[in-house]
Amino acid sequence: MQTWNPETYDHNGAFVHGLAGGVLEWLNAQPGERILDLGCGNGHLTAQIAATGAIVRGFDASPQMVAAARSRGIEADEGTAETLPYAGASFDAVFSNAALHWIHDQDSMMRHVHRVLKPGGRFVAEMGCHGNIAAIRVAIAAVAARHGLDVRRDNINFYPTPEEYAHRLERNGFQVKQIARIPRPTPLPESGMEGWIRTFRRGVLESLPEQIRDTVVNESVELLAPILRDTEGNWTADYVRLRFVALA
Ligand code: BEZ
């Protein structure tokens, strides 16, 4: 499982919630609505949703992130989306940003989300789309292969096409209202590609022998520089998002 360090994440990954305006607009939370934030992370977006007057509950698989969300005053629970609790719940909406691509059993997650929504309730989410961070993934795999290492763990994320995901949502009882592939080249903070790899590919790095990890990071950065770093030294990651609204 990918492990998260809330401080490193705050430092290198603040753009994740900073760029979530579009999916929040699609959610269109209303005062008094009961909303579950699936994969709430450090609770930054959960707090933004709560500020609309909605009653929001966070849920995340990482104990560190649940603790970070609670320290923000968010009510949050720890667990996996494939075995979502909340028996008898009837949320108005389930929201998720940058989390669904970590879920192994997508059908099970969808069935549980459907169960906890009231009839007609909204499942509104953004996740990685087919082709997401393709250059970065290929670079890390190529560098690892150079050293005789196999980073199949780098395929832990599920990045479907809109068509594939819409069919899956429908098979699990949802009516898809909107779904879109959104290319979103993402400027990285000062820590650049090295910070990104150390934060977002931490699980992959930890699967490699310790003495080779820095080499894999440095050589991946070098390989990516002509592609994703501009002449002024700024990095842009090749994110592609999948965003949807589906009704239970
Ligand atoms: C993403 O949001 O696309 C993402 C998150 C973590 C690692 C890689 C990509």
Side-chain angles (χ1 to χ4, degrees):
M1 188 180 86
Q2 171 89 7
T3 53
W4 297 103
N5 175 330
E7 277 144 43
T8 320
Y9 191 89
D10 260 353
H11 188 65
N12 296 327
F15 64 86
V16 174
H17 55 78
L19 294 171
V23 67
L24 285 176
E25 269 178 39
W26 284 30
L27 173 66
N28 191 21
Q30 300 298 315
E33 278 194 324
R34 296 188 63 241
I35 299 180
L36 180 68
D37 183 358
L38 189 58
C40 65
N42 60 17
H44 209 284
L45 283 181
T46 329
Q48 256 178 266
I49 297 168
T52 66
I55 303 151
V56 196
R57 187 146 202 116
F59 186 84
D60 205 282
S62 156
Q64 295 84 1
M65 287 300 199
V66 168
R70 285 180 184 155
S71 72
R72 231 180 253 285
I74 303 292
E75 286 194 37
D77 306 301
E78 183 195 328
T80 63
E82 292 101 327
T83 56
L84 209 52
Y86 311 118
S90 58
F91 288 100
D92 294 288
V94 173
F95 170 82
S96 183
N97 181 55
L100 297 185
H101 44 240
W102 292 103
I103 293 169
H104 297 295
D105 186 342
Q106 293 279 327
D107 290 314
S108 177
M109 173 274 290
M110 286 179 186
R111 282 196 297 275
H112 279 285
V113 170
H114 195 280
R115 170 181 58 79
V116 302
L117 279 168
K118 67 182 194 189
R122 326 191 291 289
F123 184 19
V124 182
E126 187 168 301
M127 63 191 285
C129 192
H130 188 70
N132 191 44
I133 55 165
I136 303 177
R137 286 153 63 208
V138 170
I140 296 172
V143 167
R146 225 185 243 171
H147 295 278
L149 299 163
D150 182 351
V151 288
R152 264 176 295 187
R153 259 190 65 87
D154 202 25
N155 291 328
I156 45 177
N157 293 128
F158 174 61
Y159 298 136
T161 63
E163 294 74 20
E164 184 187 347
Y165 213 64
H167 290 146
R168 195 183 279 268
L169 283 161
E170 283 160 6
R171 278 202 308 275
N172 285 291
F174 288 95
Q175 188 194 352
V176 178
K177 297 301 281 181
Q178 273 177 288
I179 190 159
R181 174 184 187 275
I182 304 171
R184 200 201 55 206
T186 298
L188 297 184
E190 239 169 64
S191 52
M193 187 52 66
E194 178 178 349
W196 191 95
I197 293 174
R198 291 192 187 280
T199 306
F200 291 103
R201 281 298 174 261
R202 182 171 158 164
V204 175
L205 293 176
E206 283 175 355
S207 73
L208 303 177
E210 200 171 347
Q211 66 277 15
I212 196 78
R213 291 178 196 163
D214 285 346
T215 305
V216 169
V217 173
N218 295 338
E219 291 186 15
S220 300
V221 169
E222 197 179 295
L223 190 58
L224 284 162
I227 316 292
L228 297 180
R229 191 174 65 188
D230 68 20
T231 50
E232 293 179 344
N234 304 307
W235 285 92
T236 301
D238 52 339
Y239 277 79
V240 186
R241 313 318 283 165
L242 174 64
R243 191 185 297 165
F244 65 87
V245 177
L247 303 184

